[in-house]
Amino acid sequence: MNRGKRTPSHPGGILSRLYMAPLDLTVTGLAETLGVSRKTVSKLVNERGSVSPDMALRLSRAFRTTPELWLNLQQAFDLWHATRASGDWKKIPCVAA
């Protein structure tokens, strides 16, 4: 499993750089738009939180994207880190033919 050497971008960083900055959106403004707390958005854009299915739906509606975009970004980020966090998963034998 070669997932690349570069860490995938956190969805919160992408949200901040590619969506919020060009639209001059603040954390507070986006939180109000999404109907969530300021803390929730702050955690996400500061890369301390993750995108849930509910948040993916909210972001997709607000920015005319798909929920799959946000969930795929989160999944790529999580999987990249999981493959490097521990080698225990490499010890599992293959049972499929």
Side-chain angles (χ1 to χ4, degrees), residues 32-48:
E32 289 172 2
T33 298
L34 297 176
V36 298
S37 71
R38 184 189 181 290
K39 183 177 180 178
T40 298
V41 174
S42 178
K43 283 176 63 175
L44 183 57
V45 299
N46 288 305
E47 302 182 11
R48 292 189 321 269

Side-chain angles (χ1 to χ4, degrees), residues 11-12 15 18 21-22 29-30 38 46 53 62 68-69 74-75 81 86 94:
L15 173 63
L18 301 181
L30 182 57
R38 184 189 181 290
N46 288 305
E68 290 83 6
L69 167 73
Q74 187 66 57
Q75 182 182 39
H81 285 281
S86 166
C94 181

Side-chain angles (χ1 to χ4, degrees), residues 12-80:
I14 292 173
L15 173 63
S16 178
R17 289 186 304 276
L18 301 181
Y19 292 89
M20 293 174 67
L23 296 171
D24 220 15
L25 276 173
T26 64
V27 169
T28 302
L30 182 57
E32 289 172 2
T33 298
L34 297 176
V36 298
S37 71
R38 184 189 181 290
K39 183 177 180 178
T40 298
V41 174
S42 178
K43 283 176 63 175
L44 183 57
V45 299
N46 288 305
E47 302 182 11
R48 292 189 321 269
S50 59
V51 175
S52 66
D54 179 66
M55 181 59 79
L57 289 166
R58 291 170 188 263
L59 291 169
S60 69
R61 179 76 174 197
F63 296 112
R64 293 185 182 178
T65 62
T66 65
E68 290 83 6
L69 167 73
W70 300 102
L71 292 175
N72 288 339
L73 289 169
Q74 187 66 57
Q75 182 182 39
F77 182 84
D78 291 344
L79 187 57
W80 191 92

